[in-house]
Amino acid sequence: MLIYVYGGSGSGKSAYAEQRIIASGEKKRYYVATMEPFGEEGRRRIARHRALREGKGFQTIECPVCLEQLEPWERGAVLIEDLSNLLANEIWSDQGRGWDGCDGAFAETVADACKRLAGQHALVVVVGNDVYRDGDACSPEMERYISLLAECERRIVAYADEVVEVVCGIPLIQKGKQVNG
């Protein structure tokens, strides 16, 4: 099963995604961490997420770029946190593909990687950010990033069994029907 969970900053989407993994009953729990610790704020966010996961049985797998290159591991439940960091790393990180490697084919590559993982595991939950409601004008580069992020999301949502928006900690099912938790 593939679930896409999204929401704004501080919406509770990460807590909801973790709860869905735990509620699945799978003993093997994997947390695919995409964030690179750029600056003090990035390090604080990573430390906060690690503290929140502590004692929940997650094995962390660092994957800031190239999600499609993850090697298979023992079947379980997988949480990918998060899509917007993965894309930013692919574009701007020294390890990433840069703008030339991040086009429509890239969106398909990411969505296919999520679909492949869902076929290998009992549950895959992908977390994304709602960055579309700000309404402020932004640079052409940021517009391009947002457009590519939207394309990645559209493709993942097409594969997803369930899509959930989390608002103030409240899950709103947008596609499918919640089975666990």
Side-chain angles (χ1 to χ4, degrees), residues 15-167:
Y16 176 79
E18 287 178 13
Q19 178 264 328
R20 290 298 301 270
I21 295 287
I22 292 166
S24 74
E26 291 294 319
K27 300 301 179 208
K28 293 288 184 180
R29 298 177 187 145
Y30 304 99
Y31 183 96
V32 177
T34 64
M35 187 173 187
E36 287 189 24
F38 294 117
E40 186 57 35
E41 174 62 21
R43 286 187 284 278
R44 276 196 301 271
R45 288 185 66 186
I46 288 170
R48 178 179 173 272
H49 275 246
R50 283 184 179 153
L52 290 171
R53 283 195 314 273
E54 195 170 314
K56 295 179 181 176
F58 283 94
Q59 175 185 341
T60 300
I61 298 166
E62 300 289 340
C63 183
V65 295
C66 299
L67 185 65
E68 74 280 4
Q69 292 180 10
L70 282 176
E71 296 293 327
W73 55 87
E74 191 174 342
R75 185 174 170 83
V78 179
L79 172 57
I80 301 171
E81 173 100 23
D82 70 43
L83 187 60
S84 58
N85 284 328
L86 178 69
L87 176 58
N89 295 339
E90 288 285 7
I91 294 169
W92 292 296
S93 168
D94 292 340
Q95 300 172 19
R97 302 162 212 249
W99 279 115
D100 291 339
C102 292
D103 54 13
F106 169 76
E108 187 174 345
T109 298
V110 170
D112 286 348
C114 293
K115 182 180 178 183
R116 177 182 54 83
L117 287 168
Q120 295 168 345
H121 296 279
L123 175 63
V124 173
V125 180
V126 180
V127 176
N129 285 296
D130 183 354
V131 297
Y132 311 104
R133 297 180 196 201
D134 190 11
D136 291 338
C138 53
S139 71
E141 185 176 53
M142 190 55 130
E143 289 285 344
R144 187 174 173 195
Y145 166 82
I146 289 170
S147 177
L148 184 54
L149 181 61
E151 181 61 23
C152 289
E153 289 176 345
R154 275 192 293 274
R155 290 175 184 265
I156 292 170
V157 164
Y159 290 144
D161 300 291
E162 188 177 316
V163 177
V164 182
E165 179 181 14
V166 180
V167 179

